[in-house]
Amino acid sequence: MSTPFDEFWTASRTTALTQRRLAERLREYLPVEDKLDAFELPGRYHGLRRSADRLDTLFRRRRSTREFGPVPLRAKALGRILTSLTATETGRGYPSAGGLYPLRCYPLLLNVAHELNGRVCRYEPVKHALQDAGPCPPWPELAPVLGAEATTAPHFVLVFVLADEPLLAKYGPRGGRFGLIEAGAAIQAISMRLAADRLAGYLLGGGADQEVLDLLGLARHDVRLAAVLAGGLGSP
């Protein structure tokens, strides 16, 4: 029996057809510029002191960059990026409701100096290691599946999926929200690592759900496409 949570995922699912419709909608969208903030209160403002430390510098350095250079990304750099997701004795670099960690990461290596370059990989956070899941299409073929423009190819793509059955079993439909919160927290951790290492990246939200899951070899698994992040060495 379908639940309202399942219906939300079905309604927001993207296919090759709805990708085109989404692109048309974005082209036609005209933001409404309202000079008045509807949430502003009549009372006075009480100023706060700004931070000025290393973390604040990283927040300001983070950018959404879609242009990447031709030099391969070093395998060591990829290892540092994925360390943000590594499981340790004290947890991981992001929170998870109930410590269930339903989020899974599948790196697609496009221009990385690693033996699995050109492959779709599965990241294992406990072992901090990759497994070969299959061949990865070249960027001109991959970009439309991810809902990206076929401009400069990134060095890697991180696909995040949710195996959220444990969350739903424990928390009911509300657990679906917790899974999305976890995905956002994990991506923020990755983004801060990219900023710290002066690497580039951007989020993709228009991937064709089933096609992406097929590419990862997850067609028969009960998982949901959560988010996609493309990254690497920024163009000089």
Side-chain angles (χ1 to χ4, degrees), residues 15-56:
T15 65
L17 176 60
T18 56
Q19 278 180 327
R20 292 194 294 271
R21 291 176 179 170
L22 177 59
E24 292 172 358
R25 178 169 185 161
L26 292 176
R27 285 193 296 268
E28 296 172 356
Y29 174 72
L30 295 175
V32 178
E33 296 185 6
D34 190 352
K35 296 182 179 180
L36 298 177
D37 186 350
F39 297 91
E40 186 172 9
L41 301 173
R44 72 182 183 91
Y45 285 95
H46 300 262
L48 299 171
R49 183 174 180 177
R50 294 179 181 271
S51 61
D53 56 12
R54 182 174 179 273
L55 183 59
D56 188 63

Side-chain angles (χ1 to χ4, degrees), residues 68-216:
F68 301 91
V71 178
L73 181 74
R74 296 173 60 190
K76 181 180 180 180
L78 179 66
R80 285 171 58 87
I81 293 165
L82 292 175
T83 297
S84 306
L85 309 176
T86 300
T88 67
E89 294 180 355
T90 57
R92 308 189 192 186
Y94 58 93
S96 178
L100 296 174
Y101 293 105
L103 193 67
R104 305 287 186 270
C105 178
Y106 284 77
L108 282 55
L109 308 190
L110 297 169
N111 189 13
V112 181
H114 189 279
E115 60 184 334
L116 291 179
N117 189 55
R119 308 293 293 180
V120 175
C121 305
R122 170 185 175 269
Y123 175 66
E124 168 49 55
V126 176
K127 300 179 184 298
H128 188 53
L130 299 177
Q131 288 184 309
D132 188 356
C136 181
W139 182 244
E141 297 177 20
L142 179 63
V145 177
L146 300 178
E149 297 179 359
T151 53
T152 309
H155 292 76
F156 62 85
V157 173
L158 303 182
V159 181
F160 294 89
V161 300
L162 281 168
D164 54 9
E165 184 178 349
L167 277 178
L168 299 175
K170 181 173 183 178
Y171 299 106
R174 188 77 180 185
R177 297 194 188 194
F178 298 158
L180 293 174
I181 291 172
E182 179 173 333
I187 290 169
Q188 177 70 350
I190 291 285
S191 298
M192 290 299 98
R193 170 52 64 187
L194 292 177
D197 291 353
R198 298 185 181 278
L199 297 173
Y202 66 101
L203 275 171
L204 291 162
D209 293 58
Q210 193 57 53
E211 287 85 346
V212 174
L213 295 179
D214 290 345
L215 176 64
L216 304 182

Side-chain angles (χ1 to χ4, degrees), residues 1-8 173:
M1 180 178 178
S2 176
T3 67
F5 180 67
D6 293 324
E7 293 171 3
F8 159 75

